[in-house]
Amino acid sequence: MKKNILLQTRFRRLKAYLFPVQSNILPEKLQKNFRHLYFDIAWFGLLNGSAISFLTIFAARLGASGSQIGLINATPAVISLTLALPIGSWLENRKLDRSVFLSTIFHRFFYFLFALLPLLLISDETQIWIITVLTLVMSIPGAVIAVGFNVLFAAAVPANYRGMVAGRRNAVFAVVTVLTSLISGRILTTMPFPTGYQIIFLMGAIGGVMSAIHIWFVKPYVLQPKPVSAARTSKGFTFKQPIRRFLIYFSSHYHPEALKGKFGKVLLLLTLYHFFHYLSIPLFPIFTVNNLNLNDQVISLGNAFFYVTMFIGSTQLAKLTSRYGNHKITAIGMIALGLYPTTLSLATGPTMFMVSMILAGFAWALGGTAMVNYLLDAVPSEKSAGYMAWFTVGVNAAILLGNSIGPLIAAWLGLPVALFIFGLLRSAAGLIVLKRG
């Protein structure tokens, strides 16, 4: 009896922590936003722990090279880099929550296609290229999500609650992803190839659609001011000259002023960090599969360790950012994230792989979560979509370069040496953010 009461008490505390009901403090609309943001990330955790986590592993099992996996990872960056500024301008004149919802539904639909891919009975090489093409197409709505969701989050969550909500979203995300990763690893171990991958892609697709449904219920809490178009306020210009007309159009729609001032400085620093961060990303699946010879069960267990430690770190995020600020916590997390590739480069078996995943989880709980809030602190509310579009451009340019250059350097130096150096570069970028941000 006492044991049941204790369990019920713990459950109520966990529920109150994740889904606060503070009617005397928070308006009902704000409580509703918070709850749907938590459910959104929970279902996204199902997608992340299954389809997203194992897509490049699936490609590696099919025989994809480091360059091909780099291309799969870089393809969304190419699309976002091309479309981010027009998307930012487009979102300023659209209903934000509806636009993000429809884009999310369209984007998540493609995971059903990944599940059907092995049924086509085509060669492994052809499947690799189909994965690349599907990734290319789904990146178009993905680019809308990349710009629009952060703007929706800023509009739906007041600044003084962002650290709390972001930390709790991370905690929910970690718990669901851990469970899903363990289940996915078990499925892949017990089921023949590629049936196991079909099952986890289907799981991910369902999670993605449910996540999108909850996004529909997240509504802007603070009415975002409409930006003033420079074309309407400018005087004395003639539109007869094409170059001048283009410059005025560009200035009025794409907010080039974002490249100056505080936001421009933050944008430059985060772009530099993302370049160093993504140098090693395409190397991880190749190193774990080919160099360490780890099976899917061990890889899923490593992912579980990552998300357990991310959960622990996320529970402390609100307290840490409240005390030290988003800037310092972001920089410290970036420095710590450099330990992941450097530690992994020393691995010869599962043990050091697990150690590296544990370190990465703690580091990502700080740097990966506080980073967006650090950026939002520098964004004018009346120009949020346009400014976040520039962030998407900068980050995806860095992702594209990093994913393209990383495998080339690794082919020259060897995977372990390249991973070690890339980890040092991550930490160096974090130090620059700490000192210059």
Side-chain angles (χ1 to χ4, degrees), residues 253-273:
H253 286 76
Y254 298 144
H255 302 291
E257 71 277 6
L259 302 178
K260 302 176 182 179
K262 181 181 179 181
F263 181 84
K265 184 178 182 180
V266 173
L267 175 63
L268 177 62
L269 292 173
L270 294 185
T271 299
L272 175 67
Y273 173 77

Side-chain angles (χ1 to χ4, degrees), residues 183-261:
I183 294 170
S184 297
R186 184 62 180 168
I187 290 172
L188 294 175
T189 302
T190 57
M191 299 293 293
F193 181 87
T195 305
Y197 283 93
Q198 290 179 277
I199 294 173
I200 65 170
F201 287 147
L202 183 60
M203 287 169 51
I206 294 171
V209 171
M210 292 301 298
S211 168
I213 291 173
H214 283 286
I215 287 177
W216 170 252
F217 293 101
V218 177
K219 304 299 180 182
Y221 179 69
V222 179
L223 184 62
Q224 299 292 293
K226 291 294 184 181
V228 178
S229 173
R232 295 175 183 174
T233 58
S234 300
K235 297 181 179 180
F237 288 103
T238 173
F239 286 90
K240 293 182 179 179
Q241 300 179 22
I243 294 179
R244 178 174 292 178
R245 183 165 62 180
F246 169 77
L247 291 176
I248 292 176
Y249 177 85
F250 185 87
S251 177
S252 64
H253 286 76
Y254 298 144
H255 302 291
E257 71 277 6
L259 302 178
K260 302 176 182 179

Side-chain angles (χ1 to χ4, degrees), residues 4-5 39 65 124 141 153 156-157 169 410:
N4 290 337
I5 294 175
F39 279 116
S65 65
D124 291 349
F153 180 83
V157 181
R169 274 171 56 86

Side-chain angles (χ1 to χ4, degrees), residues 101-131:
F101 165 73
L102 292 176
S103 300
T104 305
I105 285 288
F106 184 39
H107 178 266
R108 306 291 162 76
F109 165 76
F110 283 86
Y111 288 102
F112 287 105
L113 300 183
F114 287 133
L116 298 175
L117 185 59
L119 298 178
L120 298 180
L121 301 177
I122 53 181
S123 68
D124 291 349
E125 184 68 22
T126 303
Q127 289 188 60
I128 293 169
W129 286 111
I130 291 178
I131 290 172

Side-chain angles (χ1 to χ4, degrees), residues 87-106:
I87 286 171
S89 177
W90 179 76
L91 284 173
E92 288 181 341
N93 301 307
R94 297 293 185 278
K95 193 173 181 181
L96 185 61
D97 49 346
R98 177 181 173 84
S99 299
V100 174
F101 165 73
L102 292 176
S103 300
T104 305
I105 285 288
F106 184 39

Side-chain angles (χ1 to χ4, degrees), residues 167-185:
R168 293 178 180 182
R169 274 171 56 86
N170 248 17
V172 174
F173 175 71
V175 170
V176 178
T177 301
V178 165
L179 296 176
T180 307
S181 295
L182 292 174
I183 294 170
S184 297

